[in-house]
Amino acid sequence: MKRAIVYLSMAAVAALFGIQLVMEHLFVERRIAQTMAQSQETEMPDGVSASSEQKAPEIIAVFGIDGELGEGGRSDCIMLAALDEQGCIRLCSIARDSLISIPETGEKTKLCHAYAYGGPKLAVKTLEENYGLHIDGYVTVDFEGLSEITDELGGVTVSLTRGEWKALGLPEPYLGQRKLSGAEALAYCRLRALDNDSFRMERQRKVMEGLLSAFLSGREEAMPAAAIECFSHCRSDLSLPTALRLVSGAIRNRNQLHISAMSVPGDVVLAEEGVLEDGVWYYTYDLETAGEKIREFFGEDTKGAVAKMQQPQ
């Protein structure tokens, strides 16, 4: 009798927990739908056009870490992302081996170490102070999370070079383009022996672009649930209204979305000769110039730093 009561109690707790999860899921779905509806119904005041009200988009730092979400770990992937009012998703990759100064201590080290030293808050502060940026929030995903998100979205399609195809151990014949599984996408993002960090950043960005494409190509009614599932594998300080606004904006404009990308260094900021100290190699380049180009890329004012600049001596 006692055993039956215990089993019934456990079943009741499980049922209540399941109901809570379902209610939370439905609540977030409804909030996304409401946010989409409100944004579609919003009218501009007389005499004011949408173009005249354009402002710099919110910039989100995206970290891919080589540890677990609840732990430290270095940021193996560092990106800045934003969705502007013209439906353009802007992605800026910053080399993990960039030589920067850690805020407060002034220690000169690799950019990827900031996350290991102080988690996402220090990583964001390091980006802001070294590049003169204002960052509105962060999203962190670990290796396992990236793999699971990729699988949940049905894989990610990317174009591969012959060298990449061979390095991933994919079966012959070489086809050029392939839909990668979660494990394959992770291995692709981490390839280093083939070339250098610039190519690695490009591979990471291609996976990000492919995941966005996979998400936005799904059925609209299924997107809220897909977004909730993807976010469950991430750590973030974004408020619910901000997250809903970003997701609903992408869904609402999905037929006209396009992606613009840049890399630092590279593109508009060239790296100087690398620095080798105590057997450790660093990317060196002018951080102030890089910050100006990043702010320009995201549509921010380039006439002065948004935050105090730190330049390694």
Side-chain angles (χ1 to χ4, degrees), residues 56-57 59 79-84 86 88-93 133 205 209 258-264 267-268 289-302:
I59 299 176
M79 288 188 199
L80 301 175
L83 171 64
D84 68 21
Q86 289 75 46
C88 178
I89 296 176
R90 300 184 181 275
L91 298 176
C92 174
S93 301
L133 304 173
R205 205 165 55 235
E209 293 173 6
H258 56 286
I259 295 174
S260 179
M262 72 174 289
S263 298
V264 174
D267 297 337
V268 295
T289 299
E292 289 180 2
K293 296 301 182 182
I294 294 172
R295 295 195 299 276
E296 184 179 277
F297 177 70
F298 285 108
E300 292 190 347
D301 181 15
T302 61

Side-chain angles (χ1 to χ4, degrees), residues 175-223:
L175 301 175
Q177 194 174 75
R178 178 179 172 90
K179 177 175 281 192
L180 302 178
S181 67
E184 291 169 341
L186 175 58
Y188 176 70
C189 285
R190 302 201 70 196
L191 284 177
R192 297 193 75 175
L194 287 178
D195 31 56
N196 57 40
D197 207 34
S198 295
F199 288 93
R200 195 169 189 234
M201 286 192 294
E202 182 180 354
R203 284 191 281 269
Q204 293 170 346
R205 205 165 55 235
K206 284 167 67 176
V207 168
M208 173 73 84
E209 293 173 6
L211 291 175
L212 288 170
S213 177
F215 171 73
L216 294 171
S217 64
R219 293 179 297 108
E220 185 168 319
E221 60 271 21
M223 286 182 179

Side-chain angles (χ1 to χ4, degrees), residues 87-108:
C88 178
I89 296 176
R90 300 184 181 275
L91 298 176
C92 174
S93 301
I94 303 180
R96 49 164 282 163
D97 292 337
S98 299
L99 180 62
I100 51 82
S101 293
I102 299 294
E104 298 175 5
T105 68
E107 177 187 351
K108 292 185 291 184

Side-chain angles (χ1 to χ4, degrees), residues 117-157:
Y117 292 171
K121 290 185 177 180
L122 182 59
V124 167
K125 188 174 182 181
T126 300
L127 287 168
E128 290 184 325
E129 294 197 6
N130 281 270
Y131 297 94
L133 304 173
H134 174 74
I135 294 173
D136 298 284
Y138 74 86
V139 174
T140 296
V141 62
D142 61 12
F143 290 161
E144 182 181 357
L146 173 64
S147 178
E148 291 176 348
I149 289 172
T150 302
D151 285 335
E152 284 163 4
L153 291 176
V156 58
T157 302

Side-chain angles (χ1 to χ4, degrees), residues 276-309:
L276 191 64
E277 294 184 4
D278 299 325
V280 180
W281 189 89
Y282 302 90
Y283 261 127
T284 60
Y285 50 91
D286 186 88
L287 298 181
E288 185 171 358
T289 299
E292 289 180 2
K293 296 301 182 182
I294 294 172
R295 295 195 299 276
E296 184 179 277
F297 177 70
F298 285 108
E300 292 190 347
D301 181 15
T302 61
K303 294 182 179 180
V306 179
K308 180 180 178 182
M309 297 287 295

Side-chain angles (χ1 to χ4, degrees), residues 212-257:
L212 288 170
S213 177
F215 171 73
L216 294 171
S217 64
R219 293 179 297 108
E220 185 168 319
E221 60 271 21
M223 286 182 179
I228 294 168
E229 189 62 37
C230 289
F231 282 136
S232 71
H233 298 292
C234 301
R235 175 182 177 183
S236 177
D237 66 346
L238 295 179
S239 66
L240 180 60
T242 298
L244 294 181
R245 186 169 64 254
L246 293 172
V247 171
S248 64
I251 294 174
R252 187 179 64 254
N253 298 314
R254 63 175 176 154
N255 294 326
Q256 58 197 48
L257 283 178

